Amino acid sequence: MDYSWYMSMKRTNVYADPEDLAIIKEAAKRRGISEAEIIRQGIHLAAMANRVWDEPLFSRTFEGPGRTLSKPEVRDTVAEAVRRENGPGSGSAA
């Protein structure tokens, strides 16, 4: 087996609830993976849930009527915004 990934990890100690550890032990046995792998997955999920992104998920906003638009209305609204952004005579937005 290739354990090159192991060298890039950092060891740490944490305190955990015994009931949580029992659940992890049972899940690891059922899934056929190590308890450490489940804990690493949990740490990754916690890290991603608490990450602060440099940019917002949606960097553009479009004006609308304040109600849910139909599919053609969304297409037309986005196309109009692209035309405004690109200026007149930039061709059709397809």
Side-chain angles (χ1 to χ4, degrees), residues 71-91:
K71 193 173 186 177
E73 288 173 315
V74 170
R75 184 189 60 239
D76 294 343
T77 301
V78 172
E80 178 58 32
V82 169
R83 280 193 292 273
R84 280 196 309 268
E85 188 175 283
N86 292 333
S90 62

Side-chain angles (χ1 to χ4, degrees), residues 18-80:
E19 291 177 11
D20 291 338
L21 293 175
I23 292 169
I24 289 170
K25 181 181 281 290
E26 180 182 312
K29 185 177 179 183
R30 184 178 61 250
R31 293 176 58 195
I33 62 175
S34 69
E35 294 171 44
E37 181 59 26
I38 292 176
I39 292 168
R40 280 191 289 273
Q41 291 171 3
I43 290 171
H44 180 70
L45 290 172
M48 296 308 291
N50 289 285
R51 182 174 180 179
V52 177
W53 299 91
D54 294 336
E55 297 180 16
L57 181 60
F58 298 103
S59 60
R60 292 174 147 191
T61 57
F62 301 100
E63 292 183 21
R67 62 177 171 76
T68 302
L69 300 176
S70 67
K71 193 173 186 177
E73 288 173 315
V74 170
R75 184 189 60 239
D76 294 343
T77 301
V78 172
E80 178 58 32

